[in-house]
């Protein structure tokens, strides 16, 4: 088996290879692993000790669609030069990129073979689309949530908020960002976990205006949380103070896209990871009949104990065995 291992943001292929050495040893020589550096040099990940020297890399320097598309193009070049690959394993931003590639392929090329036959996603963070047309008609209202100068909702906005909820399934697929409700989402302010209203669990619940509001709030928080973990979060904060439609990320969320990744997938989540819900949402972007979730004791850095690496290796073997049944 030939597999591509994608580092997390603020790491390097060399550091990731050291981190994954226990897993690679368990998998054995039958697995040919290619560790890939991200295309952009940047700051180190927060979990990397100060004595560790760079360079450090990331896959995309923002969550905007053009930046994500460049990362897609880079991976496809690697596949052309060093592939084909049977599987992909990614950590954090690397996992998000792999998920984005697979889901984008499922949306636009469902009749063609996917670029990977199975995927392993460790501590996956929020997944962005490379397609600027994904929910494009709502993105302007999206980006207003990050404007520095907050305004009270207009009378027109209040009138729009009173509109009837969507009635068709196609409308519901877009209910992530319905009408002026985006502008009314706490005026872009972060909601504390105590006050946060959970996003709906089923698309049908989006018929309720309050549930659509909760979903929008969750999408905003996901972006805020992942950028706060970035080695240089201020670059995002400054950019989004004047964000326009091209800058704001087109987020994949289980309630905003109907397609699901169809290949076998393994989702590895840290029980103490502050971004654990990102990974849980990413898992829901995949066919649940072809998915396996592994929880380990630890945070966002990924598994560290032999037992946890063994559990991941066992899940990878499961995914490989299930390729033949797709």
């Amino acid at each position: 088996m030939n597999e591509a291992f994608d580092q997390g943001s603020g790491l390097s292929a060399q550091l990731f290879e050291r981190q994954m050495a226990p897993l690679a040893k368990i998998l054995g020589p039958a697995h040919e692993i290619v560790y890939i550096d991200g295309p952009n040099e940047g700051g180190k990940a927060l979990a990397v000790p100060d004595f560790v020297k760079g360079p450090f890399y990331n896959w995309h320097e923002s969550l905007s669609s053009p930046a994500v598309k460049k990362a897609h193009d880079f991976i496809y070049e690697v596949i052309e030069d060093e592939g084909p690959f049977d599987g992909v394993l990614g950590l954090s931003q690397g996992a998000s990129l792999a998920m984005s590639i697979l889901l984008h392929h499922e949306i636009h090329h469902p009749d063609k073979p996917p670029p990977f036959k199975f995927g392993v996603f460790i501590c996956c963070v929020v997944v962005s689309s490379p397609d600027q047309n994904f929910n494009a008609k709502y993105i302007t209202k999206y980006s207003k949530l990050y404007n520095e100068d907050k305004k009270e909702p207009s009378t027109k906005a209040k009138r729009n908020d009173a509109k009837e909820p969507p009635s068709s399934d196609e409308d519901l697929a877009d209910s992530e960002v319905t009408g002026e409700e985006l502008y009314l989402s706490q005026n872009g302010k972060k909601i504390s976990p105590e006050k946060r209203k959970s996003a709906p669990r089923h698309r049908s619940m989006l018929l309720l205006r309050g549930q659509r509001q909760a979903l929008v709030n969750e999408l905003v928080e996901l972006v805020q949380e992942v950028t706060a973990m970035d080695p240089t979060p201020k670059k995002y904060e400054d950019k989004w103070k004047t964000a326009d439609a091209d800058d704001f990320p087109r987020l994949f969320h289980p309630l905003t896209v109907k397609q699901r990744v169809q290949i076998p997938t393994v989702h590895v989540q840290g029980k103490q990871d502050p971004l654990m819900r990102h990974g849980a949402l990413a898992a829901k972007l995949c066919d649940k009949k072809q998915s396996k979730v592994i929880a380990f004791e630890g945070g966002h850095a990924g598994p560290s104990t032999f037992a946890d690496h063994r559990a991941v290796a066992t899940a990878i073997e499961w995914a490989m065995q299930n390729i033949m049944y797709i």
Side-chain angles (χ1 to χ4, degrees):
M1 283 287 175
N2 191 20
E3 291 127 76
F5 277 32
D6 298 348
Q7 59 157 85
S9 177
L11 297 177
S12 67
Q14 184 179 26
L15 288 174
F16 195 38
E17 183 173 4
R18 293 178 191 171
Q19 183 179 358
M20 293 291 104
L23 176 61
K25 184 176 181 179
I26 296 171
L27 290 173
H31 293 258
E32 183 179 346
I33 299 172
V34 177
Y35 293 89
I36 306 171
D37 275 321
N40 308 301
E41 190 170 342
K44 68 179 179 64
L46 300 179
V48 176
D50 291 337
F51 64 82
V52 177
K53 303 302 180 184
F56 307 102
Y57 302 94
N58 59 64
W59 294 104
H60 39 81
E61 295 182 317
S62 79
L63 296 174
S64 68
S65 289
V68 175
K69 186 179 184 305
K70 286 183 180 179
H72 277 225
D73 293 342
F74 178 82
I75 289 296
Y76 276 107
E77 289 177 6
V78 172
I79 293 173
E80 181 70 24
D81 294 340
E82 303 188 45
F85 297 104
D86 296 297
V88 61
L89 181 150
L91 170 68
S92 189
Q93 191 189 66
S96 172
L97 174 60
M99 181 69 72
S100 176
I101 289 171
L102 288 166
L103 187 55
H104 183 73
H105 177 91
E106 185 64 34
I107 293 170
H108 294 278
H109 308 289
D111 298 327
K112 295 182 179 180
F116 306 103
K117 298 176 182 177
F118 70 91
V120 183
F121 309 93
I122 303 176
C123 301
C124 188
V125 295
V126 64
V127 183
S128 298
S129 170
D131 182 8
Q132 281 194 280
N133 292 322
F134 179 73
N135 281 342
K137 61 183 177 180
Y138 301 121
I139 296 302
T140 300
K141 298 179 179 65
Y142 238 28
S143 61
K144 286 181 180 179
L145 295 172
Y146 286 96
N147 288 343
E148 189 173 29
D149 298 326
K150 303 297 186 295
K151 300 178 181 179
E152 289 298 319
S154 65
T155 302
K156 179 181 178 181
K158 292 178 181 178
R159 286 198 302 268
N160 288 341
D161 187 51
K163 290 180 179 179
E164 290 297 317
S167 57
S168 72
D169 192 50
E170 288 298 321
D171 290 337
L172 289 172
D174 291 334
S175 291
E176 163 200 0
V177 281
T178 300
E180 293 292 332
E181 288 177 21
L182 285 170
Y183 189 74
L184 303 177
S185 298
Q186 303 296 321
N187 287 325
K189 296 179 181 178
K190 186 173 177 63
I191 306 167
S192 67
E194 295 78 14
K195 296 181 180 180
R196 182 170 65 212
K197 184 175 182 179
S198 298
R201 301 177 67 178
H202 303 288
R203 187 176 288 120
S204 60
M205 296 177 68
L206 293 173
L207 288 167
L208 303 174
R209 188 176 299 110
Q211 294 295 320
R212 298 199 300 273
Q213 180 74 53
L215 174 58
V216 171
N217 290 342
E218 177 170 274
L219 292 167
V220 172
E221 283 190 320
L222 291 170
V223 175
Q224 291 173 328
E225 288 170 357
V226 74
T227 53
M229 297 283 287
D230 189 88
T232 54
K234 193 175 187 299
K235 69 184 180 187
Y236 292 102
E237 296 170 5
D238 289 345
K239 191 175 187 65
W240 287 344
K241 284 178 180 178
T242 57
D244 59 24
D246 290 339
D247 292 323
F248 200 88
R250 277 67 164 157
L251 303 182
F252 285 136
H253 187 284
L255 294 176
T256 68
V257 60
K258 295 179 182 179
Q259 293 85 351
R260 296 293 182 262
V261 173
Q262 297 297 311
I263 63 172
T265 57
V266 176
H267 306 269
V268 186
Q269 302 169 3
K271 295 179 181 178
Q272 287 79 47
D273 185 355
L275 303 181
M276 185 177 182
R277 68 167 169 161
H278 291 238
L281 288 170
K284 293 180 180 179
L285 295 172
C286 303
D287 181 356
K288 62 181 179 181
K289 295 180 180 179
Q290 290 284 342
S291 299
K292 188 178 287 290
V293 177
I294 304 295
F296 67 91
E297 293 293 342
H300 195 66
S304 59
T305 69
F306 177 82
D308 288 331
H309 282 294
R310 166 62 70 183
V312 175
T314 300
I316 290 175
E317 297 292 342
W318 165 85
M320 292 168 51
Q321 292 171 6
N322 277 272
I323 291 174
M324 66 183 71
Y325 299 113
I326 298 177

